[in-house]
Amino acid sequence: MARETRRFAFVVHPLVARDFVRKYPIARLVPDSVLERIGGWMKPLVASHITGVRSATGVEAEGWFIGLPMTSSLLLRSDPEAVYRKLVACGHLAESLGAGIMGLGAYTKVIGDRGVTVAERLGLPVTTGNSYTAATAVESSLLAAEEMGKAPRAAHAVVVGATGSIGAVCSRILARHVGSLLLVARNFDLLNGLAERIRAESGTDVGVTSDVHAAVRQADLLLAVSASPEVLIEPEDLRPGAVVCDVARPRNVSRKVCERRDDVLVFDGGVIKIPGEPDFGIDFGFPPGLGEACMAETMVLALEGRLEDYTLGRDLSCEQVDEIAEMARRHGFSIAGFRRFERAISPEEIASIRDAVARRAAPA
């Protein structure tokens, strides 16, 4: 009997103008400023056909990357209404291919109202993938703490960017597992409201601050999810043995941390092993079979047959994050070890970090 195949689409875009070269090698001869202008004029297009996604339940899925040829900076500079029209065009292209749901990738999900208007203008269900991104950020942080020999319940955790949509729900879920929590953001009204909510939900000791560097210096476990385009965390900010999950793009953690500090574990959040033998049909910088949690959420919903709007807007619920994590486990999606700056972190490297922490703690 033939297996049932579910269909999905996921919108991708170049983060920078040089990314056009991945799809069009001749673009290496064209100045970045010209590439960006050309991309702004182009219509959405099919970037690749995705095959081989196979659930542990036996259900299969195929999909398409829909390319929106606008760089991150162009998306951020553009009028949200103009971007909505482009994303609706992406949705119509996805529908013509037979997709049952469409995910918004990278900066397409932070423009305007985070997918709400796009979903309202399409008959096709839409999701941003932020629920599974939050679920896997917390899961991988707790796993990394254990790898470093830290009991999460004894850890002082810090969330930078705590009042954003992913940061707020990560803070609420992380509070279930850690000893104390410090929330970092600029708006004290939002910070205090979130802290009160977490105290009521979990009874966890929660503090708030807008001082990123002072907060980071106290962290055993650090989750970085700030939308700030600036690098916020430098080598001198971290204490020995700190575990740092950098979910933000652009990154919140400076590359210099990995170059100068052999006694901290920094890794990227939201890197997922996709079940089956997935062929994405395009190089987006990951080894075969791995993808971002946000695109995995779209695949999970397709495999589950949940063809409905899922993660939209600013407010994410813990219930939805827990639900997508459970669905993903049932279909065979899992955390893909630890990676940073486009390379895997081996168990031997983690052991070396633990040794460096022990040497610094030993009496002279």
Side-chain angles (χ1 to χ4, degrees), residues 14 16-22 24-42 69-71 74:
V16 295
R18 281 298 97 189
D19 285 345
F20 281 107
V21 178
R22 295 178 187 271
Y24 307 107
I26 196 171
R28 68 184 185 279
L29 304 175
V30 182
D32 288 1
S33 58
V34 176
L35 288 176
E36 188 166 78
R37 282 202 300 275
I38 292 173
W41 298 330
M42 292 172 64
M70 299 175 72
T71 63
L74 182 57

Side-chain angles (χ1 to χ4, degrees), residues 44-242:
L45 70 162
V46 177
S48 72
H49 184 202
I50 304 165
T51 60
V53 179
R54 187 176 307 112
S55 163
T57 68
V59 179
E60 296 186 353
E62 67 172 341
W64 295 267
F65 279 135
I66 305 297
L68 178 62
M70 299 175 72
T71 63
S72 307
S73 61
L74 182 57
L75 281 167
L76 293 174
R77 293 198 310 269
S78 298
D79 174 33
E81 179 59 36
V83 179
Y84 293 157
R85 288 195 293 271
K86 292 268 190 177
L87 291 174
V88 168
C90 290
H92 290 321
L93 179 55
E95 286 180 299
S96 73
L97 295 165
I101 187 168
M102 182 176 80
L104 301 178
Y107 281 75
T108 66
K109 61 185 173 185
V110 301
I111 300 299
D113 54 14
R114 291 163 169 74
V116 173
T117 296
V118 175
E120 288 174 349
R121 295 180 183 180
L122 283 172
L124 184 69
V126 173
T127 191
T128 62
N130 282 345
S131 290
Y132 195 42
T133 296
T136 55
V138 174
E139 182 183 351
S140 59
S141 295
L142 298 175
L143 183 61
E146 292 178 0
E147 290 285 332
M148 286 289 290
K150 292 178 180 293
R153 184 55 68 186
H156 178 62
V158 174
V159 179
V160 174
T163 55
S165 56
I166 294 177
V169 78
C170 281
S171 299
R172 294 172 62 198
I173 295 173
L174 199 57
R176 303 170 181 167
H177 304 278
V178 299
S180 59
L181 188 61
L182 182 57
L183 310 177
V184 187
R186 295 175 180 172
N187 186 317
F188 273 95
D189 288 339
L190 293 177
L191 274 174
N192 287 323
L194 178 60
E196 289 177 12
R197 184 176 191 178
I198 291 173
R199 291 185 194 107
E201 288 176 342
S202 65
T204 301
D205 177 18
V206 184
V208 301
T209 182
S210 61
D211 189 333
V212 174
H213 299 289
V216 168
R217 291 188 190 105
Q218 305 172 38
D220 299 310
L221 180 59
L222 172 63
L223 199 57
V225 288
S226 172
S228 170
E230 302 172 2
V231 170
L232 301 175
I233 300 165
E234 298 288 353
E236 61 274 17
D237 293 330
L238 296 164
R239 66 193 308 177

